[in-house]
Amino acid sequence: MELLNEFVTLLSQPYLMLLMLGAVVLGLLIGILPGLGGSVALALLIPLTFSMGPDAAIVLLISAYGTVTYGGAITSILLNTPGEATAAATTFDGYPLAKQGKAGKAITVAVLASAIGGIFGFLVLYLVLPLARSLVLAFTYPDFFMLAIFGLTVIAVVTQGSAFRGIISALVGFMLAFIGTDPLMGSSRFTFGSFHLWDGLGLVPVIIGLFAITEAFQLYYQKTSIAGDYDHDIKTDFGEGLRDFIHHRWLFVRSSLTGIFLGMIPGVGGAVASFMAYGSAVQTSKTPERFGKGAIEGVLAPEAANDAKEGGAMLPTLAFGIPGSAAMAVLIGGLIMHGLTPGPEMLTTNLSMTYFLIAVAIVSKLVALPVSLLVGPRMAIVTRIPGTLMAPGIVAISLVGAYAVEGSFWDVVIALLFGLIGILMKQFGYSRIALIIALVLGGLVEASYHQTMAAFGWEAFFNRSISLTLLCLTVLSLLWPWLRTSTLMKRILGGAHGSA
Amino acid sequence: MKHTHMEKPWRAVSCAVALAASVFTATAVAQDSFPQRDIELVVGYNAGGGYSSWAQALAPVLEEQLGGNTNVLVRHMPGAGGVVATNYVYRAKPDGYTIGIFNLGGLAATQTASEVMYDLTKMAWLGRLSLDPTIMVVGSDSGFNAPGDFKGRDRTVVSTKGLTANATITGAVTFDLLGVDWQPLNHSGTSEAILSIIRGDSHVSWGSFDSLKQYIENGDLKMLMYYDAERNPAYPDVPTPSEIGLPAEINEAFNTNRILGAPAGTSDAVVKALESAIAQAVKDPAFIERVEKMEVSVQYLDGAQTSRVVNSAVKGFTDYKDTISELLGSN
């Protein structure tokens, strides 16, 4: 098998393996630094690769890039501050777990899901390579639309019990999603004359405001550490995490597949993959009410999807030279400088280079796994720092993060504004998660609707097998809670009737 | 021992004298020399993109040309398609320490179509690094072979990336002149716009040559028209607009130029210093090597020539403003 040959090539070169270890540590560091994500890691490292051969450049770039997500998950869990939009969904249950003294376990699960999800993604990539071109071309606008609608149904589940406030929160999220560039014309709208709003609201500053800052204020007033009175033995974290991971193995597989699938679609955006995986974890759970309050599945699902998606994102890159994500575009720029042209040749004449790339990605995940497991759960110590010290720290770190994403003070203002909105939402029982899900998916819903109408007309929503299947899933998932209770009702009624 | 004791005061004195002398000469030179401190080179897009790569390649050679005592610091200021960065440079103190690299086609189109602070025609232009012509592309299997093939069709879908983008405006003006009815299928990124053509969901698209050439080389896209004064030597069969009977002025009016500029009101001496440093830098073998690695090429113009290109670009978009307004109003 040619892929195995590339593994041998890689493992037999100590220089490359040493470089990989360095890149992994660097990637983890960049990920932990708030506001810095995969594209930043690549942009920083590309100039360093100029003096290297193509093999070393691939090792350095892919290894560092692949490890950034681990670091991002750590800050999402410990500080409620995602390093980039793709780690945002991890905050929903990651931080509540930290509040219960289970940060170490949550980080263990996040790292396991990331690493194994990433490896899974690249293995699937390897298997579907011969079909790469037809797979990428199989999906079009009405499918994206139905996918987004399906993703939105999770709002119904996360806001159970307060449906009215849930809908209001989601509608506000939609309104916020429409700020920026109108997808039909490409001109600016709802920008109040400010060019800072032309690109819309950044997801990271909004989440930092709604979650990190809001919770930091609460932490300050509760006058205990994040983990409060919960006393948890760090030594058992790994065992518990591993057990949880194995227990939820099917959720892991499903989330990884969701990630791979969404990674394949350029323009959908990495954040959508982790939100969709989170949503499907909620919908298929027997106890959906635990989500948002510290369900370990809420950490596992987005993290698995987030890393698995990179395998999927390689597909359009290799098949057409079209980057599947912003970071992938930067990676392509770096590879071109080393004489590699991503595109159909990567599937024919340069196939061995593609296999080398897959081998590097997989081995680097294996190297990163012990490194992250060694460092990550130990950082849970910050959840024991008194809240009066920690809260100002979180505010400062998260605001630096909001600034660092685009290097813009405007985003700091946005984060503070949403910090205020978050405090009010929390106080009056409005769902911040519903708002964020609508904000993430709103743009996709609107753009793909207009694109479908322009390209095919409304029939396309219903006469394509993929979009129709997704529509059926949407209807089913909305009716599911009702169906479940109604059969239950019947049984109860039946039982009552029999005994009477 | 004694010897060194004797020497030390002398050394101190000579040091002091040398220091004083150097300070004196530095201040003497500083009165009419530029630069004395670091220069900020602003890029309106993210690190890792095309403009960022050009700036990163230029910065070290520009430092050398400016005397080696100055750092040229690349600063990324993404947002609103380069408008945030352009406004920043436009407002900066005109002392030559804040300069920027700009996308002429995109910014000129935005200036014509929306309310923005900057005015490109007022800025001090330092030179052009490269020209990136607009091209018209279709899917390789689409059956379209010439721009004229679109005449008389009922429904033509154009894959676009923002209706005020210069590529879209080029397409709108071209189809307007050819009398083709069309409708846009808009996308937020180049990737999606290209996939739309390859899938066959839309029929035709316009974009910059540099950003599309890899897809032409791969055989997924086919070029139908090349917007420049001359044909591209690598594609001798692809006509320019004037060759198929369109007005010659649209040959170059909407192309993307990567240009360097400083705020309006920068003194002539500073502009000259920067301009000549850039002129030397683009000839530097190290710079040329970096640029060739990016698979693009330098098409240098000096400050005065760049100003002319800027003025004609803004005029070009203003002349076709009706077509543009119609485009924005009727859809």
Side-chain angles (χ1 to χ4, degrees):
Chain A
M1 225 166 80
E2 271 189 78
L3 183 61
L4 283 181
N5 288 339
E6 297 302 332
F7 274 112
V8 174
T9 314
L10 175 66
L11 295 171
S12 63
Q13 296 182 65
Y15 161 64
L16 289 183
M17 291 306 292
L18 210 65
L19 190 66
M20 180 180 282
L21 187 65
V24 160
V25 173
L26 199 69
L28 193 63
L29 270 174
I30 292 177
I32 292 173
L33 291 174
L36 302 185
S39 337
V40 179
L42 288 173
L44 283 175
L45 289 175
I46 284 173
L48 288 185
T49 65
F50 289 153
S51 57
M52 295 177 179
D55 282 11
I58 288 179
V59 168
L60 181 66
L61 296 178
I62 302 254
S63 313
Y65 172 65
T67 322
V68 169
T69 50
Y70 300 20
I74 294 173
T75 54
S76 288
I77 292 166
L78 295 179
L79 306 178
N80 219 354
T81 302
E84 52 182 337
T86 50
T90 310
T91 58
F92 296 166
D93 281 284
Y95 186 72
L97 280 164
K99 278 163 77 178
Q100 296 162 17
K102 295 177 188 159
K105 183 175 89 164
I107 292 173
T108 306
V109 169
V111 168
L112 284 171
S114 284
I116 303 172
I119 293 168
F120 188 75
F122 276 95
L123 284 177
V124 171
L125 169 70
Y126 169 72
L127 293 176
V128 301
L129 268 186
L131 306 169
R133 287 178 70 91
S134 41
L135 258 177
V136 172
L137 294 183
F139 303 96
T140 180
Y141 312 112
D143 312 329
F144 305 159
F145 176 78
M146 286 302 175
L147 192 72
I149 294 289
F150 179 54
L152 285 175
T153 60
V154 70
I155 291 176
V157 187
V158 292
T159 59
Q160 258 175 1
S162 56
F164 184 65
R165 285 187 177 140
I167 288 169
I168 289 183
S169 310
L171 289 176
V172 171
F174 271 124
M175 279 165 60
L176 297 174
F178 298 151
I179 292 176
T181 306
D182 143 35
L184 191 58
M185 317 283 292
S187 51
S188 58
R189 63 172 180 189
F190 306 136
T191 57
F192 304 96
S194 162
F195 53 79
H196 290 295
L197 285 172
W198 277 23
D199 301 319
L201 291 170
L203 192 57
V204 171
V206 171
I207 289 189
I208 282 177
L210 284 183
F211 291 89
I213 293 181
T214 303
E215 299 293 334
F217 271 94
Q218 201 199 338
L219 179 64
Y220 187 79
Y221 284 114
Q222 82 188 23
K223 294 193 192 311
T224 60
S225 63
I226 293 176
D229 301 330
Y230 289 99
D231 198 23
H232 201 79
D233 187 7
I234 289 183
K235 280 172 199 142
T236 60
D237 285 340
F238 177 74
E240 281 183 27
L242 187 65
R243 211 164 41 240
D244 277 348
F245 180 78
I246 293 168
H247 182 239
H248 296 292
R249 58 195 176 278
W250 293 115
L251 176 66
F252 163 78
V253 171
R254 218 169 52 231
S255 306
S256 300
L257 289 173
T258 307
I260 295 165
F261 170 68
L262 285 157
M264 262 168 48
I265 307 170
V268 166
V272 174
S274 38
F275 277 82
M276 291 288 289
Y278 182 84
S280 102
V282 178
Q283 277 163 325
T284 53
S285 169
K286 290 197 185 79
T287 49
E289 64 280 359
R290 289 184 303 117
F291 282 81
K293 298 175 191 116
I296 196 74
E297 301 100 298
V299 171
L300 186 148
E303 283 303 317
N306 193 14
D307 274 62
K309 108 178 170 282
E310 292 311 322
M314 286 299 289
L315 216 55
T317 311
L318 294 174
F320 298 97
I322 291 173
S325 62
M328 205 52 82
V330 180
L331 181 66
I332 288 184
L335 293 180
I336 286 175
M337 293 203 180
H338 288 280
L340 269 169
T341 317
E345 283 185 4
M346 293 294 283
L347 302 178
T348 51
T349 46
N350 286 336
L351 194 60
S352 67
M353 198 43 109
T354 302
Y355 287 151
F356 181 69
L357 221 143
I358 294 176
V360 170
I362 291 177
V363 175
S364 71
K365 301 268 174 206
L366 288 174
V367 172
L369 184 63
V371 175
S372 314
L373 281 179
L374 214 64
V375 179
R378 280 180 174 69
M379 291 180 70
I381 196 84
V382 305
T383 60
R384 316 214 163 271
I385 298 174
T388 43
L389 276 178
M390 198 58 198
I394 291 180
V395 172
I397 292 170
S398 62
L399 288 181
V400 168
Y403 172 77
V405 176
E406 296 268 319
S408 153
F409 278 110
W410 176 254
D411 283 340
V412 177
V413 176
I414 295 280
L416 286 170
L417 184 69
F418 276 90
L420 200 66
I421 295 173
I423 291 171
L424 292 174
M425 286 182 80
K426 193 170 172 179
Q427 191 173 349
F428 294 104
Y430 288 89
S431 168
R432 289 169 291 164
I433 294 183
L435 185 152
I436 289 292
I437 290 173
L439 176 62
V440 169
L441 294 174
L444 183 60
V445 171
E446 194 196 9
S448 57
Y449 170 78
H450 287 304
Q451 286 163 340
T452 305
M453 296 304 278
F456 312 109
W458 62 269
E459 309 92 280
F461 290 119
F462 307 104
N463 65 13
R464 291 177 46 87
S465 54
I466 300 169
S467 54
L468 201 61
T469 310
L470 286 164
L471 179 64
C472 292
L473 281 174
T474 306
V475 174
L476 205 68
S477 72
L478 282 177
L479 292 181
W480 181 239
W482 180 75
L483 283 175
R484 203 168 51 178
T485 45
S486 74
T487 43
L488 205 71
M489 290 267 282
K490 266 186 216 146
R491 208 175 292 160
I492 293 166
L493 281 177
H497 186 73
S499 65
Chain B
M1 285 294 269
K2 232 179 189 175
H3 195 67
T4 45
H5 268 287
M6 284 293 288
E7 220 176 41
K8 255 186 184 169
W10 280 111
R11 211 183 267 169
V13 169
S14 64
C15 267
V17 169
L19 200 72
S22 69
V23 167
F24 179 74
T25 41
T27 38
V29 172
Q31 270 159 9
D32 55 352
S33 91
F34 170 87
Q36 300 165 45
R37 55 186 169 93
D38 294 348
I39 293 175
E40 189 176 47
L41 174 57
V42 180
V43 179
Y45 308 91
N46 276 312
Y51 281 85
S52 169
S53 305
W54 276 96
Q56 308 269 17
L58 182 69
V61 284
L62 194 56
E63 277 171 11
E64 250 170 63
Q65 294 301 332
L66 287 167
N69 296 320
T70 304
N71 295 309
V72 176
L73 307 171
V74 176
R75 175 162 181 197
H76 296 95
M77 203 178 281
V83 173
V84 172
T86 313
N87 280 344
Y88 174 80
V89 174
Y90 191 74
R91 270 181 316 196
K93 200 173 166 202
D95 53 9
Y97 294 108
T98 308
I99 61 175
I101 178 168
F102 304 99
N103 163 2
L104 174 58
L107 292 169
T110 310
Q111 179 178 335
T112 316
S114 351
E115 290 278 322
V116 288
M117 178 196 292
Y118 67 81
D119 180 353
L120 296 178
T121 58
K122 288 186 182 154
M123 291 177 72
W125 295 106
L126 308 171
R128 178 180 82 177
L129 290 182
S130 78
L131 164 72
D132 189 3
T134 303
I135 59 173
M136 175 185 184
V137 291
V138 294
S140 299
D141 314 323
S142 64
F144 298 109
N145 293 307
D149 291 356
F150 289 93
K151 281 188 207 166
R153 283 170 49 89
D154 284 349
R155 188 168 166 276
T156 298
V157 178
V158 179
S159 179
T160 59
K161 202 190 116 187
L163 291 202
T164 55
N166 57 322
T168 309
I169 291 168
T170 312
V173 170
T174 305
F175 270 174
D176 193 47
L177 292 165
L178 287 171
V180 175
D181 279 335
W182 61 280
Q183 63 177 113
L185 174 49
N186 202 35
H187 303 85
S188 59
T190 309
S191 299
E192 301 145 69
I194 294 163
L195 260 187
S196 174
I197 295 274
I198 298 177
R199 272 200 307 262
D201 290 346
S202 45
H203 302 114
V204 57
S205 189
W206 278 263
S208 90
F209 180 69
D210 281 351
S211 68
L212 297 178
K213 91 182 149 187
Q214 82 174 93
Y215 308 108
I216 297 168
E217 283 163 11
N218 287 342
D220 285 318
L221 297 183
K222 187 163 64 178
M223 176 159 58
L224 294 191
M225 195 142 68
Y226 184 79
Y227 292 71
D228 200 359
E230 314 255 313
R231 293 187 181 203
N232 184 323
Y235 297 90
D237 300 333
V238 180
T240 63
S242 58
E243 287 175 332
I244 64 156
L246 298 174
E249 67 200 60
I250 76 162
N251 278 5
E252 293 176 89
F254 305 118
N255 283 343
T256 290
N257 289 268
R258 292 188 169 92
I259 53 177
L260 292 159
T266 309
S267 75
D268 285 346
V270 170
V271 169
K272 275 277 160 286
L274 285 167
E275 188 186 0
S276 63
I278 292 164
Q280 294 304 314
V282 296
K283 291 184 208 147
D284 193 302
F287 177 72
I288 292 169
E289 197 196 350
R290 272 287 287 275
V291 170
E292 275 170 2
K293 271 196 163 180
M294 284 149 51
E295 299 201 338
V296 286
S297 63
V298 178
Q299 278 120 334
Y300 174 76
L301 287 183
D302 68 20
Q305 290 166 313
T306 305
S307 293
R308 274 195 289 281
V309 173
V310 170
N311 290 337
S312 78
V314 173
K315 185 178 175 300
F317 283 104
T318 314
D319 287 350
Y320 285 98
K321 200 169 181 174
D322 287 346
T323 313
I324 299 168
S325 317
E326 201 180 309
L327 180 69
L328 291 170
S330 66
N331 286 290

